Amino acid sequence: MSPNRKRKEVSEDEMDKYDIPLTSLSHGGGCGCKIAPSVLSQMLADLPAPFANPALLIGTETSDDAAVYQINETQALVATTDFFMPIVDDPFDFGRIAATNALSDVYAVGGKPIMALALVGMPIDKLPMETMQKILAGGASACEAIGIPIAGGHSIDAPEPIYGLVAMGLVDPANIKRNSQGQAGDVLILGKGLGVGLLSAALQKGNLDDEGYAEMIAVTTKFNSVGVDLSLMPDVHAMTDVTGFGLLGHLLEICRGSGLKAIIEADRLPILPTALKLAKSGVNTGAANRNWASYGDDVTLPADLADWQKSLLCDPQTSGGLLVACAADAADDVLKLFHDQDYADAAIVGSLADGDAGVTVVI
C-alpha cells in the first residue's frame, strides 16, 4: 500500500476488510492517542498514596518513564507498558514502531531490556488474519533485533486496532537515570529530530510522500539503546524520552521533578526535514493543540516565535528521542556518544537553571 494513499470514508457494508488502511480504523495514532496531560492529572488526582515500599526506587511520583524495583545490591527490575492505535497503514511497520516505542521507556531510565509481553486488541470482524499476524510479526521483529523474547501477553477483540508491549529490563541501582535529578547549569541534549506528529497527520490526509514516510519509519524504529551507555556516565544527571506530550511536556516533567526552570533555544532544535516543510506550510495536529492547552501556562514564548515553531515544540512524538540533562563539561562526550551510535540529529537544545519550574523559549 502506498504511504500517500488517499483516505476515504467507508460504511460497514462497503468495507473490504482485505484492503482497509489501518489508520482509518482508529480515531488517533501513535503517541498522539495519549490522554492530554491536564486531563490525566485530573484522573490521577484523587488516587490514594501508593503503598510505601523501600524497594520501589521509581514509582509514580514524578511521572517518570518506568517503574524500578530493587532486587539486590546490583540489580533492579525495570517495568513499563505502552500501546496505541496505528500510526501507519503497513501492519508490519505498525508492530515495529509500537514495540520500539514501548522499549524506549526501559532505556530512558538506563535499563537494558530482557523480555516483553504483547498487548493486543484487534477488530477481528474488520481485519484479515494476515494483517493481524503481520502486526504481531513486526513487534516480534523489533524485539528479536535487540535479542529479547516476547514471552506471552494478552489479547482482546476491540473496536480499534491496538498493539504494544509490557517491557521489562534490568539496571544497576547505582546507574538509574531519573527525570527528576537535573542540576542547575546542566545542558539539555535531544537525541532525535522532532516532527513525527506532523508526518503522521500528513499521512492520514494522504499528503505524505515516500521520502517523508521513509523519514518517519527510520526515526520511529530506531531504538533508544544509547540510554544503556548514558546510564554509565556520572555527569548525566536526568533523562527521559520525548513522546506524546511533546518536547515541552516532557521537559516540564524534568523541571518539576528537579525544581528547576529550563531555557530552550528554538533555533537549535533538530527537526525532521519533511516535518519542517509541513510545519512551515501550516500543518498542525489536534494533539499538539491539546498539549499546549494543558501546559502552556508554564511556558514563556518570545513574541517573534513563529507559529510553526510553537507547533513543533508541542508536537506529539512517537518513539521520540531521549532528552538528556548533563553537566556542561560533559556535553561534548554525550553528543559524541549519540553520534557514534548513529543518532545523527542529536543536538544541544537548551539548559537548566535555578528558578520556578517552567520553560522559557528563546530565539
Side-chain angles (χ1 to χ4, degrees):
M1 182 179 293
S2 172
N4 59 353
R5 174 176 178 162
K6 294 288 184 181
R7 304 289 184 266
K8 64 178 182 178
E9 296 295 327
V10 291
S11 69
E12 291 287 337
D13 293 336
E14 294 171 328
M15 276 189 176
D16 175 359
K17 76 182 216 174
Y18 291 93
D19 190 25
I20 301 173
L22 280 176
T23 54
S24 72
L25 295 176
S26 61
H27 72 281
C31 287
C33 298
K34 276 190 173 184
I35 294 173
S38 60
V39 178
L40 182 60
S41 294
Q42 293 176 41
M43 289 173 60
L44 300 176
D46 293 331
L47 284 180
F51 172 72
N53 187 326
L56 185 62
L57 304 182
I58 298 181
T60 60
E61 298 80 12
T62 62
S63 303
D64 220 321
D65 296 287
V68 181
Y69 188 92
Q70 186 163 0
I71 301 170
N72 54 47
E73 289 187 2
T74 60
Q75 289 183 312
L77 175 68
V78 180
T80 183
T81 185
D82 213 314
F83 55 88
F84 47 62
M85 282 85 80
I87 189 173
V88 294
D89 291 322
D90 183 284
F92 189 81
D93 284 345
F94 169 41
R96 290 170 65 206
I97 293 167
T100 305
N101 178 76
L103 292 162
S104 179
D105 285 340
V106 176
Y107 292 126
V109 297
K112 183 176 182 180
I114 56 170
M115 65 178 290
L117 305 173
L119 298 172
V120 182
M122 293 293 153
I124 57 175
D125 61 331
K126 296 184 177 71
L127 287 178
M129 183 59 65
E130 180 184 9
T131 296
M132 295 185 283
Q133 289 172 335
K134 286 181 178 178
I135 293 170
L136 301 185
S141 173
C143 290
E144 183 178 355
I146 60 169
I148 69 168
I150 294 182
H154 185 67
S155 61
I156 61 170
D157 184 358
E160 298 181 335
I162 297 169
Y163 183 73
L165 300 177
V166 175
M168 286 160 280
L170 292 174
V171 65
D172 187 324
N175 297 331
I176 293 170
K177 300 301 179 185
R178 296 171 172 82
N179 69 355
S180 58
Q181 294 186 332
Q183 298 182 17
D186 277 355
V187 168
L188 295 169
I189 296 175
L190 180 61
K192 294 182 184 180
L194 299 172
V196 173
L198 294 180
L199 298 181
S200 176
L203 174 65
Q204 295 233 12
K205 295 177 181 177
N207 296 326
L208 187 66
D209 60 21
D210 290 345
E211 182 179 356
Y213 187 77
E215 289 174 17
M216 183 177 176
I217 298 302
V219 72
T220 55
T221 58
K222 182 166 180 57
F223 296 101
N224 279 323
S225 51
V226 67
V228 176
D229 293 323
L230 289 167
S231 75
L232 304 178
M233 301 178 68
D235 286 332
V236 170
H237 300 142
M239 194 157 65
T240 191
D241 62 347
V242 178
T243 55
F245 298 159
L247 174 62
L248 290 180
H250 293 286
L251 177 55
L252 278 166
E253 290 174 343
I254 289 180
C255 292
R256 291 164 182 158
S258 304
L260 299 169
K261 69 178 181 181
I263 297 92
I264 286 292
E265 301 176 50
D267 292 338
R268 301 186 72 171
L269 294 176
I271 302 169
L272 301 172
T274 300
L276 180 60
K277 296 175 186 176
L278 291 168
K280 288 186 174 181
S281 72
V283 175
N284 197 4
T285 67
N289 292 332
R290 290 194 300 274
N291 281 342
W292 178 255
S294 292
Y295 53 63
D297 289 345
D298 293 323
V299 180
T300 302
L301 302 178
D304 54 347
L305 186 77
D307 288 342
W308 65 264
Q309 290 175 300
K310 176 184 172 183
S311 71
L312 281 164
L313 287 165
C314 305
D315 189 57
Q317 304 306 288
T318 298
S319 193
L322 293 180
L323 180 61
V324 177
C326 67
D329 58 6
D332 288 344
D333 290 337
V334 171
L335 272 178
K336 184 177 186 303
L337 183 60
F338 271 111
H339 294 155
D340 286 349
Q341 296 189 25
D342 297 324
Y343 300 85
D345 291 334
I348 294 173
V349 298
S351 59
L352 296 177
D354 289 321
D356 294 335
V359 178
T360 297
V361 179
V362 298
I363 295 179

